[in-house]
Amino acid sequence: MSGIKIIGTGTYLPEFIATNEMFTKFIDTTDEWITTRTGISERRISPDKPNFVMAAEASKQAMQNAGVTAKDIDAIIVSTCSPDFFYPNTACLIQNLIGANGSAAMDINTACTGFISALDVARVYLAADVYKTILVVASERLTSQIDYEDRASCILFGDGAGAAVVQKGDGLYYSHLGAQGDMLKDLYCKVLYDRNNPFFKGDDMLKDIINTPQKERYLQMDGKAVYKFAVDAMAAAVEKVCADSGFDINELDLVIPHQANIRIIQSALKKMNVDQSKVYTNLEKHGNTSSSCIPMCLAELDKAGRLKRGMKICLVGFGAGLTYGACIFEY
Ligand code: UT7
């Protein structure tokens, strides 16, 4: 199968910056703890703009950088696990704002792994010549799901969006996606349905793990379990795509990992035996923006002129599910 060609990238960052120091005003924490345990110094929070508006801004920038207009977009594939609506999906909301009426519009949710999954779906459509130009977007407003009394999780997350306009390419492309559904309880945020239906008897599917109404409302995470999973899963996914493609990891030009925690990234790199200079991170400034992390990194690198045609780029991530995935493609 053929590869992909990213012809333009874009990003949107909310203006409001929440520094580590700000968190010390309402939870028992310190800048020193957050920086040394996570690598994060600050993150952006969107107090006003909904997810789909951030997504549309990143999309417009990507289209402008690609030199395409809305009528060139055949499909919009969006990764999000923090949508503003159950329906319509975020892709339809973006389509309306950018004026791409008539394009296909679909959402994908593999949580923080989502951009890799969305790009993978786009690649299959492009390879089959179903669509010529696809807008792949990841947009997350995860801060709307966070319990700001939970000091272990609230310091990690930020908001933002990233987008890429993608066409069929001649270069190589290898991917590996997977999930371990039996680890659902380690990271989840449950949908809260209205309880005014007199026939509704409650939902005990997750009774053992969701034990109070208060807990049901927010993201729940076993940080240590996710940490351990992430290191092993990222290393294994990269090893798999390297083995499939026949590349040694150090033949790659650039590795962009999910920006969850600098210690997770460093441990995974050590396991993979990869040279740290090939790895790009921006979590110090943006925290963990879930599936937006990777396209935001791509857009930053693109803007800085650091992406060159022919570069071998590896994207690798993990997230709620628990999911994991990696791909190698020629830029
Ligand atoms: O996209 C995927 C999303 N999720 C993740 O990536 C999470 C992965 N996990 C992690 O990044 C880390 O496990 C955390 C950053 C969440 C926690 O770091 P840790 O080094 O695993 O700390 P810990 O859970 O072992 O906690 C150590 C101590 C505990 O206190 P005690 O029990 O030793 O007294 C925590 O209560 O640190 C305490 N702690 C804090 N202290 C100050 C937890 N959060 C904080 C905090 N400030 N914000």
Side-chain angles (χ1 to χ4, degrees), residues 226-236 263-265 267-268 271:
V226 176
Y227 189 118
K228 190 175 175 313
F229 171 86
V231 172
D232 295 343
M234 288 210 291
R263 289 161 54 223
I264 293 178
I265 294 173
S267 304
K271 235 180 152 136

Side-chain angles (χ1 to χ4, degrees), residues 149 169 179 207 223 255 315 326:
E149 291 178 357
K207 207 149 106 194
V255 178
L315 312 179

